[in-house]
Amino acid sequence: RGLLAFANSHRLHTLSIANCRRLTDEAVVNISHLISLEALSLDGCRCLTDRSLAAISDLFGLRKLDLSQCDLITDQGLEQLEHLEMLEELRLGWCRQITDEGIKNMTSHPERYRTLRVLRLARCPITDEGVSYLGQLEALEELDLNGCASISSSSLGDAIGKMKRLTVLDVSHIPRIL
């Protein structure tokens, strides 16, 4: 209910409500009409589910979205983000239910390959299959795969070979990277 205070904030372009561990989907629904939002951080809001992603799916101007540590977000929830064509930065670190299927769906959205510049997937349980989909993201400049332990150096090499703009890569704590 506290986020109802933003009901008339039609010019708000950046909102961080990170680490509000008891924040619920209802709160995100209450801000889902703020179409002026360009950056939204829900990092560490561990009670949020795919319902929150459905609620923000109409924030077409969103350029940065941080869902790190939102443990209940799933692959199906990522599908809700398909209309966010302007998304430049997506943070999904520590979202332990995001798998190869979610990466496949996220990378196959129209225009995503041209707009997404920063992707953080630290500690997500993706495998070589998920990494292969990342190769489609031609505009990617920064990629964080820290702790994605099921990734091999050969699949990573194939994917990053296609990412001509990549300048930052974090592959720490991945035992199969040589």
Side-chain angles (χ1 to χ4, degrees):
R1 289 187 312 247
L3 290 183
L4 285 174
F6 296 112
N8 294 318
S9 301
H10 299 291
R11 297 181 62 185
L12 190 67
H13 61 81
T14 301
L15 178 60
S16 177
I17 42 182
N19 294 310
C20 294
R21 300 205 185 280
R22 295 185 352 183
L23 194 76
T24 66
D25 293 326
E26 180 184 350
V28 176
V29 169
N30 287 339
I31 61 163
S32 64
H33 70 283
L34 298 175
I35 59 172
S36 60
L37 278 180
E38 295 178 11
L40 177 61
S41 177
L42 300 169
D43 175 20
C45 298
R46 295 182 180 268
C47 293
L48 300 183
T49 70
D50 293 343
R51 184 171 170 237
S52 287
L53 297 187
I56 63 172
S57 66
D58 290 334
L59 298 177
F60 302 120
L62 212 54
R63 294 181 184 276
K64 296 180 180 184
L65 179 59
D66 190 346
L67 299 168
S68 303
Q69 301 180 62
C70 292
D71 302 328
L72 304 177
I73 300 291
T74 70
D75 294 338
Q76 292 75 30
L78 283 184
E79 290 179 31
Q80 301 293 324
L81 304 180
E82 71 178 318
H83 300 296
L84 303 182
E85 294 178 0
M86 297 177 70
L87 203 58
E88 296 174 359
E89 184 174 326
L90 180 60
R91 295 173 182 255
L92 298 167
W94 296 86
C95 292
R96 308 259 179 152
Q97 295 187 58
I98 301 298
T99 68
D100 297 335
E101 190 64 27
I103 301 304
K104 177 183 177 184
N105 292 334
M106 186 266 304
T107 57
S108 66
H109 294 153
E111 302 300 317
R112 189 64 43 88
Y113 72 99
R114 293 185 336 162
T115 59
L116 196 63
R117 289 176 172 45
V118 177
L119 181 60
R120 307 245 186 261
L121 297 170
R123 306 290 173 168
C124 289
I126 63 171
T127 67
D128 288 340
E129 180 184 351
V131 169
S132 69
Y133 301 127
L134 297 177
Q136 300 172 33
L137 301 174
E138 297 173 4
L140 209 59
E141 297 170 4
E142 296 182 27
L143 177 61
D144 180 357
L145 297 170
N146 175 345
C148 296
S150 298
I151 295 173
S152 70
S153 55
S154 61
S155 68
L156 181 62
D158 291 342
I160 62 175
K162 299 172 187 172
M163 299 175 194
K164 303 299 183 202
R165 296 183 180 177
L166 194 66
T167 58
V168 177
L169 176 64
D170 185 348
V171 291
S172 55
H173 305 290
I174 302 178
R176 296 175 57 198
I177 300 293
L178 303 176

